[in-house]
Amino acid sequence: MNRKALSVMAVTILPCLALPAWGQTWLSQDVDETQRDDSTVSETVIERSQQRTADAWGLNQQEIQRYKSIMEGPRGTWSPNLDPLTALGLEARSDAERQKYAELLVETERKRVEAELAFQRAYDDAWQRLYPGDMPVNSFTTKGGIDATQSVFGHSAASSSPRLNVVVATQECGQCDATVKRLLSTGASMDIWIVDSEGSDDRIRSWAAEVGIPPDQVRSGSITLNHGGSINIDSAELPRVAPRG
């Protein structure tokens, strides 16, 4: 091949070699823009998710961020799947913070209990309406898996739901006392709500002593005693027992 032919080929090839240089610059800019767009979308999705979580627990986004930070530390190992209010309360930085999260948790628990008891009543009514001649074997539970097929009143603690909501009255409710005693005999863990406590701790303590609730189980948290005056339930429906969701 002569020198003139090589020169022509060089002229022809060089523009082709130059093409990827400005093409790569354009492509790099396009990739950068796409990555920035994807990053913006991801951040927006995360922010919306955090806002929904914050709204659900009555918190702001800064508190949700602190909750996540707490659960990434030792508390997340000690108490996995801990709810935001309890985690923030346990790791409170002041008495005021601790009191704030305790009150928020009480309100949240009250609403949850009322919702579960309302659905329990609807479930019982539906059973009686659809299968009036049959006795229900299993109690409604918001738990899935094996817990969904276990009766509340099992023969042992292992065969009953892990934890129960029990709504009772201290006066003129012999069945309330009998039910609590029966649950105690099975070793069940429960949150007891007293609808006629009238805000008196002493009244609750006196009733608990009468039915034989062990103080050590209350101190350990296996059993809790709660004012339930705000729970909307007819006295004729007491006692009310429902698995805690």
Side-chain angles (χ1 to χ4, degrees), residues 114-152:
E114 288 185 338
E116 291 180 7
L117 290 172
F119 192 74
Q120 179 72 57
R121 292 194 292 273
Y123 176 88
D124 293 342
D125 291 343
W127 186 283
Q128 292 300 321
R129 185 175 65 255
L130 298 173
Y131 303 102
D134 294 339
M135 179 181 295
V137 176
N138 303 316
S139 296
F140 160 74
T141 174
T142 55
K143 293 284 189 181
I146 189 170
D147 290 337
T149 62
Q150 293 177 337
S151 172
V152 170

PDB file of all heavy atoms in Angstrom, residues 114-152:
ATOM      1  N   GLU A 114     -59.447  -0.789  72.029  1.00  0.00           N
ATOM      2  CA  GLU A 114     -60.840  -0.523  71.668  1.00  0.00           C
ATOM      3  C   GLU A 114     -61.157  -1.089  70.287  1.00  0.00           C
ATOM      4  O   GLU A 114     -62.230  -1.666  70.073  1.00  0.00           O
ATOM      5  CB  GLU A 114     -61.112   0.977  71.704  1.00  0.00           C
ATOM      6  CG  GLU A 114     -61.168   1.552  73.115  1.00  0.00           C
ATOM      7  CD  GLU A 114     -61.561   3.017  73.132  1.00  0.00           C
ATOM      8  OE1 GLU A 114     -61.392   3.681  72.085  1.00  0.00           O
ATOM      9  OE2 GLU A 114     -62.032   3.500  74.171  1.00  0.00           O
ATOM     10  N   ALA A 115     -60.232  -0.929  69.341  1.00  0.00           N
ATOM     11  CA  ALA A 115     -60.452  -1.438  67.989  1.00  0.00           C
ATOM     12  C   ALA A 115     -60.536  -2.965  67.981  1.00  0.00           C
ATOM     13  O   ALA A 115     -61.400  -3.556  67.315  1.00  0.00           O
ATOM     14  CB  ALA A 115     -59.340  -0.961  67.054  1.00  0.00           C
ATOM     15  N   GLU A 116     -59.636  -3.618  68.738  1.00  0.00           N
ATOM     16  CA  GLU A 116     -59.633  -5.086  68.762  1.00  0.00           C
ATOM     17  C   GLU A 116     -60.867  -5.637  69.461  1.00  0.00           C
ATOM     18  O   GLU A 116     -61.452  -6.636  69.023  1.00  0.00           O
ATOM     19  CB  GLU A 116     -58.352  -5.585  69.432  1.00  0.00           C
ATOM     20  CG  GLU A 116     -57.111  -5.317  68.597  1.00  0.00           C
ATOM     21  CD  GLU A 116     -55.834  -5.804  69.250  1.00  0.00           C
ATOM     22  OE1 GLU A 116     -55.930  -6.476  70.302  1.00  0.00           O
ATOM     23  OE2 GLU A 116     -54.748  -5.504  68.728  1.00  0.00           O
ATOM     24  N   LEU A 117     -61.291  -4.976  70.526  1.00  0.00           N
ATOM     25  CA  LEU A 117     -62.488  -5.437  71.225  1.00  0.00           C
ATOM     26  C   LEU A 117     -63.731  -5.231  70.366  1.00  0.00           C
ATOM     27  O   LEU A 117     -64.640  -6.065  70.355  1.00  0.00           O
ATOM     28  CB  LEU A 117     -62.634  -4.688  72.553  1.00  0.00           C
ATOM     29  CG  LEU A 117     -61.605  -5.048  73.628  1.00  0.00           C
ATOM     30  CD1 LEU A 117     -61.732  -4.107  74.813  1.00  0.00           C
ATOM     31  CD2 LEU A 117     -61.773  -6.492  74.083  1.00  0.00           C
ATOM     32  N   ALA A 118     -63.770  -4.118  69.637  1.00  0.00           N
ATOM     33  CA  ALA A 118     -64.908  -3.865  68.752  1.00  0.00           C
ATOM     34  C   ALA A 118     -64.981  -4.931  67.667  1.00  0.00           C
ATOM     35  O   ALA A 118     -66.069  -5.436  67.346  1.00  0.00           O
ATOM     36  CB  ALA A 118     -64.784  -2.473  68.129  1.00  0.00           C
ATOM     37  N   PHE A 119     -63.832  -5.299  67.117  1.00  0.00           N
ATOM     38  CA  PHE A 119     -63.855  -6.332  66.078  1.00  0.00           C
ATOM     39  C   PHE A 119     -64.160  -7.699  66.678  1.00  0.00           C
ATOM     40  O   PHE A 119     -64.803  -8.535  66.043  1.00  0.00           O
ATOM     41  CB  PHE A 119     -62.518  -6.377  65.330  1.00  0.00           C
ATOM     42  CG  PHE A 119     -62.591  -7.217  64.086  1.00  0.00           C
ATOM     43  CD1 PHE A 119     -63.243  -6.758  62.957  1.00  0.00           C
ATOM     44  CD2 PHE A 119     -62.025  -8.482  64.042  1.00  0.00           C
ATOM     45  CE1 PHE A 119     -63.334  -7.533  61.816  1.00  0.00           C
ATOM     46  CE2 PHE A 119     -62.112  -9.271  62.907  1.00  0.00           C
ATOM     47  CZ  PHE A 119     -62.767  -8.794  61.788  1.00  0.00           C
ATOM     48  N   GLN A 120     -63.709  -7.928  67.921  1.00  0.00           N
ATOM     49  CA  GLN A 120     -64.038  -9.181  68.590  1.00  0.00           C
ATOM     50  C   GLN A 120     -65.550  -9.325  68.739  1.00  0.00           C
ATOM     51  O   GLN A 120     -66.121 -10.401  68.509  1.00  0.00           O
ATOM     52  CB  GLN A 120     -63.371  -9.243  69.961  1.00  0.00           C
ATOM     53  CG  GLN A 120     -63.686 -10.512  70.760  1.00  0.00           C
ATOM     54  CD  GLN A 120     -62.985 -11.729  70.188  1.00  0.00           C
ATOM     55  OE1 GLN A 120     -61.764 -11.739  70.076  1.00  0.00           O
ATOM     56  NE2 GLN A 120     -63.735 -12.743  69.833  1.00  0.00           N
ATOM     57  N   ARG A 121     -66.211  -8.226  69.107  1.00  0.00           N
ATOM     58  CA  ARG A 121     -67.667  -8.269  69.243  1.00  0.00           C
ATOM     59  C   ARG A 121     -68.321  -8.542  67.894  1.00  0.00           C
ATOM     60  O   ARG A 121     -69.277  -9.326  67.800  1.00  0.00           O
ATOM     61  CB  ARG A 121     -68.180  -6.952  69.835  1.00  0.00           C
ATOM     62  CG  ARG A 121     -67.783  -6.721  71.278  1.00  0.00           C
ATOM     63  CD  ARG A 121     -68.594  -5.594  71.900  1.00  0.00           C
ATOM     64  NE  ARG A 121     -68.274  -4.297  71.332  1.00  0.00           N
ATOM     65  CZ  ARG A 121     -67.288  -3.518  71.769  1.00  0.00           C
ATOM     66  NH1 ARG A 121     -66.527  -3.910  72.780  1.00  0.00           N
ATOM     67  NH2 ARG A 121     -67.077  -2.341  71.220  1.00  0.00           N
ATOM     68  N   ALA A 122     -67.807  -7.888  66.846  1.00  0.00           N
ATOM     69  CA  ALA A 122     -68.358  -8.113  65.507  1.00  0.00           C
ATOM     70  C   ALA A 122     -68.148  -9.559  65.069  1.00  0.00           C
ATOM     71  O   ALA A 122     -69.025 -10.170  64.441  1.00  0.00           O
ATOM     72  CB  ALA A 122     -67.702  -7.152  64.509  1.00  0.00           C
ATOM     73  N   TYR A 123     -66.977 -10.111  65.410  1.00  0.00           N
ATOM     74  CA  TYR A 123     -66.669 -11.502  65.071  1.00  0.00           C
ATOM     75  C   TYR A 123     -67.636 -12.445  65.784  1.00  0.00           C
ATOM     76  O   TYR A 123     -68.191 -13.376  65.188  1.00  0.00           O
ATOM     77  CB  TYR A 123     -65.225 -11.798  65.478  1.00  0.00           C
ATOM     78  CG  TYR A 123     -64.783 -13.233  65.278  1.00  0.00           C
ATOM     79  CD1 TYR A 123     -64.249 -13.646  64.053  1.00  0.00           C
ATOM     80  CD2 TYR A 123     -64.869 -14.163  66.307  1.00  0.00           C
ATOM     81  CE1 TYR A 123     -63.827 -14.957  63.868  1.00  0.00           C
ATOM     82  CE2 TYR A 123     -64.453 -15.477  66.132  1.00  0.00           C
ATOM     83  CZ  TYR A 123     -63.933 -15.866  64.909  1.00  0.00           C
ATOM     84  OH  TYR A 123     -63.524 -17.166  64.737  1.00  0.00           O
ATOM     85  N   ASP A 124     -67.838 -12.213  67.089  1.00  0.00           N
ATOM     86  CA  ASP A 124     -68.758 -13.060  67.849  1.00  0.00           C
ATOM     87  C   ASP A 124     -70.175 -12.979  67.294  1.00  0.00           C
ATOM     88  O   ASP A 124     -70.876 -13.993  67.167  1.00  0.00           O
ATOM     89  CB  ASP A 124     -68.752 -12.647  69.321  1.00  0.00           C
ATOM     90  CG  ASP A 124     -67.417 -12.927  69.999  1.00  0.00           C
ATOM     91  OD1 ASP A 124     -66.628 -13.732  69.451  1.00  0.00           O
ATOM     92  OD2 ASP A 124     -67.161 -12.333  71.057  1.00  0.00           O
ATOM     93  N   ASP A 125     -70.614 -11.777  66.972  1.00  0.00           N
ATOM     94  CA  ASP A 125     -71.961 -11.590  66.420  1.00  0.00           C
ATOM     95  C   ASP A 125     -72.097 -12.300  65.077  1.00  0.00           C
ATOM     96  O   ASP A 125     -73.128 -12.932  64.800  1.00  0.00           O
ATOM     97  CB  ASP A 125     -72.261 -10.100  66.251  1.00  0.00           C
ATOM     98  CG  ASP A 125     -72.401  -9.381  67.585  1.00  0.00           C
ATOM     99  OD1 ASP A 125     -72.593 -10.075  68.605  1.00  0.00           O
ATOM    100  OD2 ASP A 125     -72.305  -8.140  67.603  1.00  0.00           O
ATOM    101  N   ALA A 126     -71.053 -12.194  64.245  1.00  0.00           N
ATOM    102  CA  ALA A 126     -71.097 -12.841  62.928  1.00  0.00           C
ATOM    103  C   ALA A 126     -71.166 -14.358  63.077  1.00  0.00           C
ATOM    104  O   ALA A 126     -71.889 -15.038  62.334  1.00  0.00           O
ATOM    105  CB  ALA A 126     -69.865 -12.444  62.111  1.00  0.00           C
ATOM    106  N   TRP A 127     -70.431 -14.901  64.042  1.00  0.00           N
ATOM    107  CA  TRP A 127     -70.465 -16.349  64.255  1.00  0.00           C
ATOM    108  C   TRP A 127     -71.872 -16.796  64.652  1.00  0.00           C
ATOM    109  O   TRP A 127     -72.401 -17.781  64.137  1.00  0.00           O
ATOM    110  CB  TRP A 127     -69.448 -16.756  65.320  1.00  0.00           C
ATOM    111  CG  TRP A 127     -69.354 -18.262  65.462  1.00  0.00           C
ATOM    112  CD1 TRP A 127     -70.234 -19.087  66.098  1.00  0.00           C
ATOM    113  CD2 TRP A 127     -68.362 -19.105  64.872  1.00  0.00           C
ATOM    114  NE1 TRP A 127     -69.848 -20.394  65.963  1.00  0.00           N
ATOM    115  CE2 TRP A 127     -68.696 -20.442  65.221  1.00  0.00           C
ATOM    116  CE3 TRP A 127     -67.226 -18.872  64.114  1.00  0.00           C
ATOM    117  CZ2 TRP A 127     -67.939 -21.522  64.817  1.00  0.00           C
ATOM    118  CZ3 TRP A 127     -66.468 -19.956  63.722  1.00  0.00           C
ATOM    119  CH2 TRP A 127     -66.813 -21.268  64.063  1.00  0.00           C
ATOM    120  N   GLN A 128     -72.467 -16.078  65.579  1.00  0.00           N
ATOM    121  CA  GLN A 128     -73.805 -16.445  66.034  1.00  0.00           C
ATOM    122  C   GLN A 128     -74.837 -16.309  64.920  1.00  0.00           C
ATOM    123  O   GLN A 128     -75.796 -17.080  64.852  1.00  0.00           O
ATOM    124  CB  GLN A 128     -74.208 -15.558  67.219  1.00  0.00           C
ATOM    125  CG  GLN A 128     -73.402 -15.817  68.483  1.00  0.00           C
ATOM    126  CD  GLN A 128     -73.540 -17.256  68.965  1.00  0.00           C
ATOM    127  OE1 GLN A 128     -74.613 -17.852  68.907  1.00  0.00           O
ATOM    128  NE2 GLN A 128     -72.427 -17.824  69.424  1.00  0.00           N
ATOM    129  N   ARG A 129     -74.628 -15.348  64.045  1.00  0.00           N
ATOM    130  CA  ARG A 129     -75.569 -15.138  62.951  1.00  0.00           C
ATOM    131  C   ARG A 129     -75.407 -16.186  61.854  1.00  0.00           C
ATOM    132  O   ARG A 129     -76.397 -16.690  61.306  1.00  0.00           O
ATOM    133  CB  ARG A 129     -75.369 -13.735  62.361  1.00  0.00           C
ATOM    134  CG  ARG A 129     -76.395 -13.370  61.294  1.00  0.00           C
ATOM    135  CD  ARG A 129     -76.225 -11.933  60.850  1.00  0.00           C
ATOM    136  NE  ARG A 129     -74.952 -11.693  60.184  1.00  0.00           N
ATOM    137  CZ  ARG A 129     -73.926 -11.064  60.722  1.00  0.00           C
ATOM    138  NH1 ARG A 129     -73.985 -10.621  61.971  1.00  0.00           N
ATOM    139  NH2 ARG A 129     -72.800 -10.884  60.044  1.00  0.00           N
ATOM    140  N   LEU A 130     -74.177 -16.533  61.544  1.00  0.00           N
ATOM    141  CA  LEU A 130     -73.917 -17.460  60.444  1.00  0.00           C
ATOM    142  C   LEU A 130     -73.983 -18.924  60.873  1.00  0.00           C
ATOM    143  O   LEU A 130     -74.401 -19.784  60.094  1.00  0.00           O
ATOM    144  CB  LEU A 130     -72.544 -17.160  59.825  1.00  0.00           C
ATOM    145  CG  LEU A 130     -72.389 -15.766  59.199  1.00  0.00           C
ATOM    146  CD1 LEU A 130     -70.949 -15.533  58.778  1.00  0.00           C
ATOM    147  CD2 LEU A 130     -73.324 -15.609  58.002  1.00  0.00           C
ATOM    148  N   TYR A 131     -73.529 -19.200  62.098  1.00  0.00           N
ATOM    149  CA  TYR A 131     -73.510 -20.587  62.588  1.00  0.00           C
ATOM    150  C   TYR A 131     -74.108 -20.649  63.994  1.00  0.00           C
ATOM    151  O   TYR A 131     -73.410 -20.953  64.967  1.00  0.00           O
ATOM    152  CB  TYR A 131     -72.067 -21.122  62.596  1.00  0.00           C
ATOM    153  CG  TYR A 131     -71.395 -21.046  61.256  1.00  0.00           C
ATOM    154  CD1 TYR A 131     -70.478 -20.024  60.991  1.00  0.00           C
ATOM    155  CD2 TYR A 131     -71.680 -21.963  60.249  1.00  0.00           C
ATOM    156  CE1 TYR A 131     -69.866 -19.929  59.742  1.00  0.00           C
ATOM    157  CE2 TYR A 131     -71.067 -21.875  59.010  1.00  0.00           C
ATOM    158  CZ  TYR A 131     -70.163 -20.856  58.761  1.00  0.00           C
ATOM    159  OH  TYR A 131     -69.555 -20.762  57.543  1.00  0.00           O
ATOM    160  N   PRO A 132     -75.389 -20.361  64.132  1.00  0.00           N
ATOM    161  CA  PRO A 132     -76.010 -20.271  65.458  1.00  0.00           C
ATOM    162  C   PRO A 132     -75.994 -21.576  66.239  1.00  0.00           C
ATOM    163  O   PRO A 132     -76.042 -21.570  67.464  1.00  0.00           O
ATOM    164  CB  PRO A 132     -77.445 -19.830  65.143  1.00  0.00           C
ATOM    165  CG  PRO A 132     -77.673 -20.274  63.731  1.00  0.00           C
ATOM    166  CD  PRO A 132     -76.359 -20.106  63.044  1.00  0.00           C
ATOM    167  N   GLY A 133     -75.918 -22.697  65.546  1.00  0.00           N
ATOM    168  CA  GLY A 133     -75.960 -23.983  66.237  1.00  0.00           C
ATOM    169  C   GLY A 133     -74.605 -24.550  66.576  1.00  0.00           C
ATOM    170  O   GLY A 133     -74.508 -25.603  67.223  1.00  0.00           O
ATOM    171  N   ASP A 134     -73.531 -23.883  66.152  1.00  0.00           N
ATOM    172  CA  ASP A 134     -72.179 -24.404  66.381  1.00  0.00           C
ATOM    173  C   ASP A 134     -71.465 -23.577  67.440  1.00  0.00           C
ATOM    174  O   ASP A 134     -71.628 -22.358  67.524  1.00  0.00           O
ATOM    175  CB  ASP A 134     -71.355 -24.355  65.092  1.00  0.00           C
ATOM    176  CG  ASP A 134     -71.914 -25.298  64.037  1.00  0.00           C
ATOM    177  OD1 ASP A 134     -72.634 -26.228  64.416  1.00  0.00           O
ATOM    178  OD2 ASP A 134     -71.630 -25.080  62.849  1.00  0.00           O
ATOM    179  N   MET A 135     -70.660 -24.231  68.236  1.00  0.00           N
ATOM    180  CA  MET A 135     -69.836 -23.542  69.226  1.00  0.00           C
ATOM    181  C   MET A 135     -68.487 -23.199  68.591  1.00  0.00           C
ATOM    182  O   MET A 135     -67.831 -24.070  68.029  1.00  0.00           O
ATOM    183  CB  MET A 135     -69.603 -24.426  70.451  1.00  0.00           C
ATOM    184  CG  MET A 135     -68.718 -23.762  71.513  1.00  0.00           C
ATOM    185  SD  MET A 135     -68.438 -24.843  72.938  1.00  0.00           S
ATOM    186  CE  MET A 135     -70.114 -24.951  73.582  1.00  0.00           C
ATOM    187  N   PRO A 136     -68.087 -21.940  68.640  1.00  0.00           N
ATOM    188  CA  PRO A 136     -66.787 -21.583  68.055  1.00  0.00           C
ATOM    189  C   PRO A 136     -65.643 -22.245  68.801  1.00  0.00           C
ATOM    190  O   PRO A 136     -65.588 -22.222  70.034  1.00  0.00           O
ATOM    191  CB  PRO A 136     -66.729 -20.053  68.211  1.00  0.00           C
ATOM    192  CG  PRO A 136     -67.678 -19.754  69.312  1.00  0.00           C
ATOM    193  CD  PRO A 136     -68.763 -20.784  69.235  1.00  0.00           C
ATOM    194  N   VAL A 137     -64.736 -22.874  68.044  1.00  0.00           N
ATOM    195  CA  VAL A 137     -63.598 -23.570  68.651  1.00  0.00           C
ATOM    196  C   VAL A 137     -62.453 -22.614  68.875  1.00  0.00           C
ATOM    197  O   VAL A 137     -61.771 -22.662  69.889  1.00  0.00           O
ATOM    198  CB  VAL A 137     -63.149 -24.741  67.747  1.00  0.00           C
ATOM    199  CG1 VAL A 137     -61.906 -25.401  68.313  1.00  0.00           C
ATOM    200  CG2 VAL A 137     -64.283 -25.745  67.603  1.00  0.00           C
ATOM    201  N   ASN A 138     -62.233 -21.725  67.926  1.00  0.00           N
ATOM    202  CA  ASN A 138     -61.091 -20.832  67.997  1.00  0.00           C
ATOM    203  C   ASN A 138     -61.539 -19.399  68.204  1.00  0.00           C
ATOM    204  O   ASN A 138     -62.561 -18.978  67.668  1.00  0.00           O
ATOM    205  CB  ASN A 138     -60.270 -20.906  66.703  1.00  0.00           C
ATOM    206  CG  ASN A 138     -59.802 -22.314  66.417  1.00  0.00           C
ATOM    207  OD1 ASN A 138     -59.345 -23.000  67.311  1.00  0.00           O
ATOM    208  ND2 ASN A 138     -59.943 -22.754  65.184  1.00  0.00           N
ATOM    209  N   SER A 139     -60.791 -18.661  68.958  1.00  0.00           N
ATOM    210  CA  SER A 139     -61.080 -17.251  69.173  1.00  0.00           C
ATOM    211  C   SER A 139     -60.399 -16.418  68.100  1.00  0.00           C
ATOM    212  O   SER A 139     -59.359 -16.794  67.573  1.00  0.00           O
ATOM    213  CB  SER A 139     -60.596 -16.810  70.553  1.00  0.00           C
ATOM    214  OG  SER A 139     -61.297 -17.488  71.563  1.00  0.00           O
ATOM    215  N   PHE A 140     -61.002 -15.279  67.799  1.00  0.00           N
ATOM    216  CA  PHE A 140     -60.386 -14.364  66.847  1.00  0.00           C
ATOM    217  C   PHE A 140     -59.040 -13.880  67.376  1.00  0.00           C
ATOM    218  O   PHE A 140     -58.868 -13.642  68.559  1.00  0.00           O
ATOM    219  CB  PHE A 140     -61.293 -13.149  66.622  1.00  0.00           C
ATOM    220  CG  PHE A 140     -60.573 -11.966  66.059  1.00  0.00           C
ATOM    221  CD1 PHE A 140     -60.177 -11.953  64.729  1.00  0.00           C
ATOM    222  CD2 PHE A 140     -60.234 -10.895  66.861  1.00  0.00           C
ATOM    223  CE1 PHE A 140     -59.482 -10.876  64.220  1.00  0.00           C
ATOM    224  CE2 PHE A 140     -59.537  -9.817  66.354  1.00  0.00           C
ATOM    225  CZ  PHE A 140     -59.165  -9.803  65.030  1.00  0.00           C
ATOM    226  N   THR A 141     -58.062 -13.787  66.487  1.00  0.00           N
ATOM    227  CA  THR A 141     -56.772 -13.235  66.875  1.00  0.00           C
ATOM    228  C   THR A 141     -56.178 -12.481  65.701  1.00  0.00           C
ATOM    229  O   THR A 141     -56.392 -12.838  64.546  1.00  0.00           O
ATOM    230  CB  THR A 141     -55.787 -14.338  67.319  1.00  0.00           C
ATOM    231  OG1 THR A 141     -54.505 -13.736  67.549  1.00  0.00           O
ATOM    232  CG2 THR A 141     -55.621 -15.414  66.272  1.00  0.00           C
ATOM    233  N   THR A 142     -55.463 -11.391  65.991  1.00  0.00           N
ATOM    234  CA  THR A 142     -54.784 -10.651  64.931  1.00  0.00           C
ATOM    235  C   THR A 142     -53.436 -11.261  64.622  1.00  0.00           C
ATOM    236  O   THR A 142     -52.719 -10.792  63.745  1.00  0.00           O
ATOM    237  CB  THR A 142     -54.571  -9.184  65.353  1.00  0.00           C
ATOM    238  OG1 THR A 142     -53.877  -9.155  66.597  1.00  0.00           O
ATOM    239  CG2 THR A 142     -55.891  -8.464  65.492  1.00  0.00           C
ATOM    240  N   LYS A 143     -53.061 -12.316  65.335  1.00  0.00           N
ATOM    241  CA  LYS A 143     -51.818 -13.024  65.043  1.00  0.00           C
ATOM    242  C   LYS A 143     -52.046 -13.993  63.891  1.00  0.00           C
ATOM    243  O   LYS A 143     -53.123 -14.543  63.716  1.00  0.00           O
ATOM    244  CB  LYS A 143     -51.355 -13.816  66.270  1.00  0.00           C
ATOM    245  CG  LYS A 143     -50.935 -12.937  67.446  1.00  0.00           C
ATOM    246  CD  LYS A 143     -49.579 -12.335  67.218  1.00  0.00           C
ATOM    247  CE  LYS A 143     -49.075 -11.642  68.476  1.00  0.00           C
ATOM    248  NZ  LYS A 143     -47.775 -11.018  68.296  1.00  0.00           N
ATOM    249  N   GLY A 144     -50.997 -14.245  63.130  1.00  0.00           N
ATOM    250  CA  GLY A 144     -51.089 -15.239  62.072  1.00  0.00           C
ATOM    251  C   GLY A 144     -50.493 -16.553  62.515  1.00  0.00           C
ATOM    252  O   GLY A 144     -50.086 -16.720  63.658  1.00  0.00           O
ATOM    253  N   GLY A 145     -50.424 -17.505  61.598  1.00  0.00           N
ATOM    254  CA  GLY A 145     -49.759 -18.778  61.868  1.00  0.00           C
ATOM    255  C   GLY A 145     -50.451 -19.602  62.924  1.00  0.00           C
ATOM    256  O   GLY A 145     -51.671 -19.639  63.018  1.00  0.00           O
ATOM    257  N   ILE A 146     -49.642 -20.247  63.777  1.00  0.00           N
ATOM    258  CA  ILE A 146     -50.184 -21.188  64.741  1.00  0.00           C
ATOM    259  C   ILE A 146     -51.090 -20.516  65.762  1.00  0.00           C
ATOM    260  O   ILE A 146     -52.061 -21.093  66.233  1.00  0.00           O
ATOM    261  CB  ILE A 146     -49.041 -21.934  65.461  1.00  0.00           C
ATOM    262  CG1 ILE A 146     -49.589 -23.078  66.317  1.00  0.00           C
ATOM    263  CG2 ILE A 146     -48.215 -20.981  66.307  1.00  0.00           C
ATOM    264  CD1 ILE A 146     -48.499 -23.981  66.851  1.00  0.00           C
ATOM    265  N   ASP A 147     -50.809 -19.243  66.095  1.00  0.00           N
ATOM    266  CA  ASP A 147     -51.632 -18.558  67.090  1.00  0.00           C
ATOM    267  C   ASP A 147     -53.076 -18.415  66.627  1.00  0.00           C
ATOM    268  O   ASP A 147     -53.988 -18.317  67.436  1.00  0.00           O
ATOM    269  CB  ASP A 147     -51.069 -17.161  67.386  1.00  0.00           C
ATOM    270  CG  ASP A 147     -49.760 -17.246  68.144  1.00  0.00           C
ATOM    271  OD1 ASP A 147     -49.542 -18.279  68.799  1.00  0.00           O
ATOM    272  OD2 ASP A 147     -48.976 -16.303  68.083  1.00  0.00           O
ATOM    273  N   ALA A 148     -53.298 -18.381  65.321  1.00  0.00           N
ATOM    274  CA  ALA A 148     -54.639 -18.166  64.798  1.00  0.00           C
ATOM    275  C   ALA A 148     -55.531 -19.376  65.008  1.00  0.00           C
ATOM    276  O   ALA A 148     -56.739 -19.287  64.836  1.00  0.00           O
ATOM    277  CB  ALA A 148     -54.565 -17.832  63.304  1.00  0.00           C
ATOM    278  N   THR A 149     -54.975 -20.518  65.381  1.00  0.00           N
ATOM    279  CA  THR A 149     -55.784 -21.726  65.552  1.00  0.00           C
ATOM    280  C   THR A 149     -55.819 -22.187  66.997  1.00  0.00           C
ATOM    281  O   THR A 149     -56.203 -23.305  67.286  1.00  0.00           O
ATOM    282  CB  THR A 149     -55.233 -22.869  64.688  1.00  0.00           C
ATOM    283  OG1 THR A 149     -53.901 -23.187  65.117  1.00  0.00           O
ATOM    284  CG2 THR A 149     -55.196 -22.488  63.226  1.00  0.00           C
ATOM    285  N   GLN A 150     -55.401 -21.309  67.909  1.00  0.00           N
ATOM    286  CA  GLN A 150     -55.362 -21.691  69.311  1.00  0.00           C
ATOM    287  C   GLN A 150     -56.449 -20.973  70.093  1.00  0.00           C
ATOM    288  O   GLN A 150     -56.674 -19.786  69.919  1.00  0.00           O
ATOM    289  CB  GLN A 150     -53.993 -21.360  69.909  1.00  0.00           C
ATOM    290  CG  GLN A 150     -52.876 -22.211  69.315  1.00  0.00           C
ATOM    291  CD  GLN A 150     -51.527 -21.820  69.849  1.00  0.00           C
ATOM    292  OE1 GLN A 150     -51.334 -20.709  70.305  1.00  0.00           O
ATOM    293  NE2 GLN A 150     -50.585 -22.727  69.792  1.00  0.00           N
ATOM    294  N   SER A 151     -57.125 -21.694  70.972  1.00  0.00           N
ATOM    295  CA  SER A 151     -58.168 -21.121  71.800  1.00  0.00           C
ATOM    296  C   SER A 151     -57.570 -20.230  72.870  1.00  0.00           C
ATOM    297  O   SER A 151     -56.469 -20.464  73.362  1.00  0.00           O
ATOM    298  CB  SER A 151     -58.971 -22.252  72.461  1.00  0.00           C
ATOM    299  OG  SER A 151     -59.873 -21.732  73.408  1.00  0.00           O
ATOM    300  N   VAL A 152     -58.308 -19.203  73.244  1.00  0.00           N
ATOM    301  CA  VAL A 152     -57.840 -18.328  74.317  1.00  0.00           C
ATOM    302  C   VAL A 152     -57.712 -19.113  75.615  1.00  0.00           C
ATOM    303  O   VAL A 152     -56.741 -18.998  76.354  1.00  0.00           O
ATOM    304  CB  VAL A 152     -58.832 -17.159  74.516  1.00  0.00           C
ATOM    305  CG1 VAL A 152     -58.479 -16.391  75.787  1.00  0.00           C
ATOM    306  CG2 VAL A 152     -58.783 -16.230  73.327  1.00  0.00           C
TER     307      VAL A 152
END
